[in-house]
């Protein structure tokens, strides 16, 4: 009996030692260093790759890769006929980078074996307009766009991005009149394991949810501001399977801070308004800070950078510097992109 008790105590002790406690910080400022500047670019899609390099795709067919070890950029332009390609969705696997253009024809590129970008999907529907893209794993990925029929436009790959299939509206929730999505920061989709949440916006702003990597779907209502084409959820992020946050508003009324921030603690089934009548107002991107127990978030937009360390219930304004999108490298360093630039952000207490 004593031997059994000793073994149980040892197991508990070693289990506790193996678990790293996630600390909660209290950032009060952010240092901003511009690492790419080009006044002709509008950059809404960035991605940190497996080796911690940074990839982007933007308007004017521009895309590029930043090597942080050498502090150097490799940039290029993607041409297709006479089109001025605009990229607002990017994603990656362990081996490949993907970028997807908005408007028709929608063109999805993948890094090819020849070193050149290769087309793996093309859609000529006149209503085609893709907003966001993300991968579940190295083989399976998803991209979402505005409705072309009676549902959100969703394509998936199950073979590493070699081919993509458009889901039928029979497989998806029916969209409401005026419901679409915003190609504002490539954060309409968030994934935790096999769980997927897609945020819509416009005259109706809801959450599409799939528990099984896009095989089945259901839809949940939200209390965020909606009813206008310019209103609704612009960005969504989940820290784990239960805790999520979404932000948006109306970009034509960026100071409005009522009903533009919502959170969930039950996996997106229900949502609660938070920080009512408190800043920030409209923001185009929100991200959980990694390894901070789901308590710390950063929201970013063309009106500045804001920070919360209480799950989004209250916020602190850190900077008036404007950006469109942000991705965290670790729990204090991030990259942000916006009008004419990409910057490295270092958050400090």
């Amino acid at each position: 009996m004593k031997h059994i008790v000793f073994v149980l105590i040892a197991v508990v002790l070693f289990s506790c030692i193996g678990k790293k406690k996630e600390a909660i910080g209290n950032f009060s400022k952010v240092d901003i260093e511009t690492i790419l500047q080009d006044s002709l670019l509008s950059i809404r899609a960035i991605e940190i790759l497996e080796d911690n390099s940074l990839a982007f795709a933007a308007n004017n067919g521009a895309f590029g890769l930043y090597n942080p070890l050498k502090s150097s950029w490799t940039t290029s332009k993607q041409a297709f006929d006479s089109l001025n390609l605009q990229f607002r969705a990017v994603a990656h696997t362990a081996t490949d980078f993907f970028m997807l253009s908005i408007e028709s024809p929608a063109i999805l590129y993948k890094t090819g074996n020849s070193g050149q970008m290769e087309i793996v999907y093309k859609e000529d529907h006149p209503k085609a307009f893709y907003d966001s893209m993300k991968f579940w794993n190295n083989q399976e990925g998803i991209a979402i766009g505005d409705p072309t029929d009676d549902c959100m436009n969703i394509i998936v790959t199950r073979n590493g991005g070699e081919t993509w299939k458009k889901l039928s509206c029979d497989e998806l929730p029916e969209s409401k009149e005026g419901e679409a999505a915003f190609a504002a920061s490539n954060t309409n989709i968030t994934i935790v394991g096999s769980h997927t949440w897609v945020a819509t916006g416009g005259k109706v702003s809801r959450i599409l949810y799939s528990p099984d990597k896009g095989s089945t779907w259901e839809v949940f209502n939200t209390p965020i501001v909606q009813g206008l084409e310019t209103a609704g959820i612009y960005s969504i992020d989940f820290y784990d399977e239960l805790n999520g946050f979404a932000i948006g508003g109306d970009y034509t009324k960026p100071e409005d801070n009522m009903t533009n921030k919502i959170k969930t603690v039950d996996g997106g089934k229900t949502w609660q308004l938070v920080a009512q009548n408190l800043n920030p107002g409209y923001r185009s991107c929100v991200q959980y800070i990694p390894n901070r127990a789901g308590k710390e978030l950063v929201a970013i937009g063309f009106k500045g950078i804001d920070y919360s360390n209480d799950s989004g219930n209250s916020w602190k304004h850190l900077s008036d510097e404007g950006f469109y999108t942000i991705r965290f490298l670790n729990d204090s360093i991030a990259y942000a992109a916006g009008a004419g630039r990409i910057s490295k952000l270092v958050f400090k207490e």
Side-chain angles (χ1 to χ4, degrees):
M1 182 67 178
K2 288 182 179 180
H3 177 72
I4 294 173
V5 171
F6 176 79
V7 171
L8 288 173
I9 292 173
V11 169
V12 171
L13 285 174
F14 281 109
S15 298
C16 292
I17 291 171
K19 290 181 181 179
K20 182 180 177 182
K21 186 176 181 180
E22 295 182 330
I24 300 173
N26 187 19
F27 293 131
S28 60
K29 62 180 179 178
V30 57
D31 292 342
I32 300 172
E33 175 193 1
T34 298
I35 59 174
L36 176 70
Q37 196 155 19
D38 186 334
S39 62
L40 299 179
L41 294 182
S42 175
I43 307 168
R44 296 180 179 270
I46 57 176
E47 189 87 346
I48 297 174
L49 306 185
E50 300 293 320
D51 61 357
N52 288 335
S53 59
L54 178 71
F56 82 91
N59 60 328
N60 299 329
F63 66 101
L65 183 68
Y66 177 67
N67 183 334
L69 298 178
K70 297 181 179 179
S71 298
S72 63
W73 283 96
T74 302
T75 60
S76 186
K77 287 197 173 183
Q78 186 64 50
F80 183 83
D81 294 339
S82 59
L83 295 177
N84 178 14
L85 295 175
Q86 297 189 54
F87 298 107
R88 297 193 189 180
V90 298
H92 79 285
T93 63
T95 56
D96 290 297
F97 174 67
F98 299 80
M99 55 188 192
L100 176 58
S101 67
I102 60 172
E103 301 177 326
S104 183
I107 305 172
L108 176 51
Y109 289 92
K110 169 186 173 296
T111 47
N113 295 329
S114 64
Q116 302 295 314
M117 300 300 288
E118 299 176 354
I119 297 175
V120 290
Y121 181 80
K122 182 172 175 284
E123 186 172 334
D124 290 303
H125 195 289
K127 293 183 180 179
F129 194 106
Y130 280 91
D131 306 285
S132 189
M133 178 168 50
K134 205 170 182 71
F135 273 76
W136 290 288
N137 51 51
N138 288 329
Q139 291 299 310
E140 298 171 292
I142 179 174
I144 68 105
D146 296 353
T148 54
D149 296 302
D150 295 326
C151 61
M152 294 296 292
N153 210 17
I154 296 182
I155 58 174
V156 297
T157 180
R158 307 291 184 187
N159 59 3
E162 294 290 341
T163 60
W164 295 74
K165 176 187 176 183
K166 185 172 180 177
L167 298 185
S168 163
C169 283
D170 293 336
E171 305 171 77
L172 293 166
E174 184 178 355
S175 58
K176 302 284 188 178
E177 183 179 354
E179 185 177 19
F182 297 111
S185 60
N186 193 34
T187 51
N188 304 94
I189 305 170
T190 184
I191 288 172
V192 176
S194 298
H195 301 267
T196 310
W197 298 265
V198 172
T200 70
K203 292 184 178 181
V204 178
S205 189
R206 303 186 295 173
I207 303 296
L208 276 62
Y209 167 70
S210 171
D212 48 17
K213 294 184 289 188
S215 295
T216 62
W217 294 87
E218 54 187 316
V219 63
F220 306 123
N221 294 322
T222 78
I224 204 163
V225 59
Q226 50 200 284
L228 299 173
E229 292 181 352
T230 53
I233 300 171
Y234 277 73
S235 178
I236 186 173
D237 195 22
F238 267 72
Y239 189 80
D240 53 32
E241 294 179 6
L242 296 176
N243 295 282
F245 198 92
I247 201 165
D250 185 338
Y251 83 90
T252 67
K253 304 171 185 176
E255 305 300 334
D256 285 3
N257 55 22
M258 187 175 181
T259 64
N260 74 311
K261 301 171 286 291
I262 57 175
K263 74 173 185 178
T264 180
V265 295
D266 61 7
K269 296 179 177 62
T270 61
W271 294 81
Q272 298 78 43
L273 291 164
V274 295
Q276 281 282 66
N277 297 307
L278 298 174
N279 287 331
Y282 163 79
R283 293 293 182 266
S284 55
C285 186
V286 66
Q287 294 284 280
Y288 280 98
I289 300 178
N291 304 318
R292 291 302 181 98
K295 298 293 185 182
E296 295 182 64
L297 302 109
V298 169
I300 210 163
F302 63 80
K303 286 289 186 177
I305 303 168
D306 298 87
Y307 162 77
S308 172
N309 69 350
D310 61 2
S311 303
N313 292 314
S314 64
W315 293 80
K316 183 189 301 182
H317 188 65
L318 299 185
S319 174
D320 290 333
E321 295 278 353
F323 295 94
Y324 298 143
T325 191
I326 184 172
R327 296 296 184 278
F328 276 88
L329 181 63
N330 55 41
D331 60 8
S332 61
I333 300 173
Y335 293 107
R341 64 173 172 165
I342 297 176
S343 297
K344 181 180 178 181
L345 277 52
V346 180
F347 293 86
K348 297 181 176 180
E349 295 189 359

